[in-house]
Amino acid sequence: MAAPASRPYSTGFWLMCLSSFLFFLSFNLLLPELPDHLARMGGDEYKGYIIALFTLTAAISRPYSGKLADTVGRIPVMVLGSLVCFVCGFFYPWAITVTGFLTLRLVHGFSTGFKPTGTAAFIADIVPVERRGEAMGLLGVTGALGMAFGPAMGSWLAETFSLNTMFYFSSGVALVSVLVQGTLTETLPLAQRKRFSPGLLRLKWSEVLEPLVLAPAVVTLLCLVPYGAVLTVVPDQSRLLGLEGPTKGLFYVFFTGASLAVRLVAGKASDTHGRVPVLRVSAGILALGLALLVYAPSVVWFLLAAVVMGLGTGLNSPTLYAWTIDLSHPERRGRAVATMYIALEIGIGVGALLAGWIFSNQASRLPYVHGLSLGCVLLAVAYLYSIKSAGPMARVTGKERTVMPAAEEVV
């Protein structure tokens, strides 16, 4: 049943937020150091694959994580994702060839293919409908904190101790995330639960994508192309602007710091004003940030672009989550979330591949990378203005479809 008004969020909600923080901290620790690490192994021309391979397996695994979240349970799906982070962090020091490193990146992508899918479905199960946007914003705050601390902490660990220390620390953080998840109680209704069997891994095409959430999936794809591009070229752009050592991750700190701030202030915006209207504003802000990044002649402009992009993303992300859940059928909630994440991974992967291809380690091509990202976001803005908002929740029908877990299933 829903939490009482005086206590809108349960202990399970806050524990899930802690787990999300640790998960995002774990793999974001690595991001600023991986391009140089790959270059030292002789794989400079493969920098675009660092993100693209990661997102490829994440996208491939989404239909499976969505189906398993709707059948086996939310918690097993999350635990599997975090365990992959734990194992991969431990083995990075042993991947000493370009092929071995890229193979590990491919495997590491399964972590984000599973953990966030289970998390979003779990949160949707336990929060009141009227606070869904706010709850997704708070969940995003904890993820953004992990993303903010991760790059700076990773660079500091690598500079102060060693690259291997950073890898092992990342692995340890993922293990703590697993332990936190072990304190939670499953929220998938008992009537839907099944014991895992290999047969559950056989997918029908109808189980891959959820057509009810096509609109948020399209917007997600277009708005996440810039993220993949930024992850690929920003470490090089930072170095070209003189940001070295511990300051190499400053773009990520400013980006995620701004995202964090706006989620705290405007988490309820889409609950009040509607999903589509808020997304129009957030995509416009994201486009402005990318326009600044196209220009960015100095560190000041570079970091200003990071802040503006962070503000747009901070409004955009929780609203897309909430809109996806609004449109989904309760019994296919995992599949709906997985569909949105498939679009997310495709957007990030395409952005990373195109950025690596366009950039080709030539500084003069950076504006073209960011210009492509800007074009994708402007397409998202145009698409959003073609949609008629269906009220504050942008519902498919006039009545919100929801199912709440039994009281004994909520921590």
Side-chain angles (χ1 to χ4, degrees):
M1 64 191 334
S6 59
R7 186 171 173 263
Y9 300 118
S10 67
T11 303
F13 173 83
W14 296 113
L15 286 171
M16 184 54 64
C17 286
L18 173 60
S19 172
S20 183
F21 166 76
L22 294 168
F23 176 77
F24 281 99
L25 177 65
S26 173
F27 72 85
N28 277 278
L29 274 165
L30 312 177
L31 291 181
E33 301 301 322
L34 291 184
D36 286 347
H37 180 53
L38 181 59
R40 285 192 293 269
M41 287 189 285
D44 203 51
E45 68 270 30
Y46 299 110
K47 287 179 180 177
Y49 288 82
I50 291 174
I51 303 301
L53 291 175
F54 187 91
T55 57
L56 173 64
T57 43
I60 290 172
S61 61
R62 295 292 184 190
Y64 296 97
S65 65
K67 182 177 180 179
L68 293 175
D70 287 337
T71 52
V72 177
R74 321 303 197 194
I75 293 176
V77 166
M78 292 186 284
V79 168
L80 177 58
S82 296
L83 282 175
V84 171
C85 258
F86 163 66
V87 172
C88 288
F90 186 82
F91 277 101
Y92 272 111
W94 306 97
I96 58 176
T97 65
V98 172
T99 301
F101 174 83
L102 294 178
T103 300
L104 196 55
R105 287 300 292 171
L106 195 67
V107 174
H108 202 166
F110 283 107
S111 62
T112 55
F114 278 81
K115 173 67 168 72
T117 301
T119 297
F122 182 96
I123 294 298
D125 289 341
I126 66 174
V127 299
V129 172
E130 67 276 8
R131 302 184 79 120
R132 185 172 285 161
E134 180 185 53
M136 291 301 172
L138 289 171
L139 178 67
V141 165
T142 57
L145 279 171
M147 294 172 68
F149 285 121
M153 184 179 292
S155 294
W156 177 79
L157 286 168
E159 290 283 329
T160 307
F161 300 100
S162 69
L163 199 63
N164 286 353
T165 299
M166 180 192 72
F167 288 136
Y168 291 134
F169 187 84
S170 170
S171 179
V173 169
L175 181 59
V176 177
S177 178
V178 174
L179 296 176
V180 172
Q181 291 160 33
T183 67
L184 300 170
T185 303
E186 182 58 60
T187 60
L188 183 69
L190 288 168
Q192 282 184 243
R193 295 185 207 173
K194 299 178 182 178
R195 292 180 65 86
F196 174 79
S197 67
L200 290 175
L201 298 179
R202 290 196 295 269
L203 292 175
K204 301 175 184 176
W205 177 247
S206 61
E207 295 173 322
V208 174
L209 298 175
E210 175 54 71
L212 290 177
V213 299
L214 175 63
V218 169
V219 177
T220 298
L221 190 154
L222 292 171
C223 288
L224 267 295
V225 167
Y227 190 66
V230 161
L231 288 178
T232 301
V233 302
V234 154
D236 286 294
Q237 191 167 358
S238 298
R239 187 172 59 253
L240 290 167
L241 290 171
L243 297 173
E244 299 277 2
T247 64
K248 188 190 297 183
L250 274 182
F251 182 93
Y252 301 107
V253 173
F254 277 72
F255 174 86
T256 52
S259 175
L260 169 65
V262 78
R263 289 177 204 234
L264 284 170
V265 173
K268 287 182 66 67
S270 71
D271 290 333
T272 304
H273 303 290
R275 315 300 189 205
V276 173
V278 169
L279 285 170
R280 290 169 182 163
V281 173
S282 66
I285 295 172
L286 183 58
L288 175 60
L290 286 163
L292 292 172
L293 201 56
V294 169
Y295 175 63
S298 66
V299 171
V300 172
W301 283 98
F302 183 59
L303 297 181
L304 177 61
V307 169
V308 176
M309 288 183 65
L311 293 174
T313 301
L315 277 173
N316 186 283
S317 182
T319 306
L320 283 169
Y321 278 108
W323 191 22
T324 298
I325 294 165
D326 291 342
L327 301 181
S328 66
H329 190 284
E331 292 183 3
R332 299 194 298 274
R333 186 167 283 159
R335 187 190 311 173
V337 172
T339 299
M340 191 265 300
Y341 273 120
I342 289 170
L344 177 147
E345 304 297 356
I346 291 173
I348 294 175
V350 168
L353 282 173
L354 290 177
W357 175 66
I358 294 170
F359 176 45
S360 295
N361 295 307
Q362 297 183 46
S364 61
R365 295 187 177 185
L366 283 169
Y368 298 110
V369 174
H370 302 312
L372 172 68
S373 297
L374 175 59
C376 289
V377 175
L378 290 177
L379 279 176
V381 172
Y383 179 72
L384 285 164
Y385 273 97
S386 74
I387 296 173
K388 292 182 179 180
S389 177
M393 297 297 178
R395 302 182 180 100
V396 171
T397 64
K399 192 163 67 174
E400 175 67 30
R401 295 189 301 253
T402 186
V403 64
M404 301 305 295
E408 68 272 16
E409 296 178 277
V410 179
V411 175

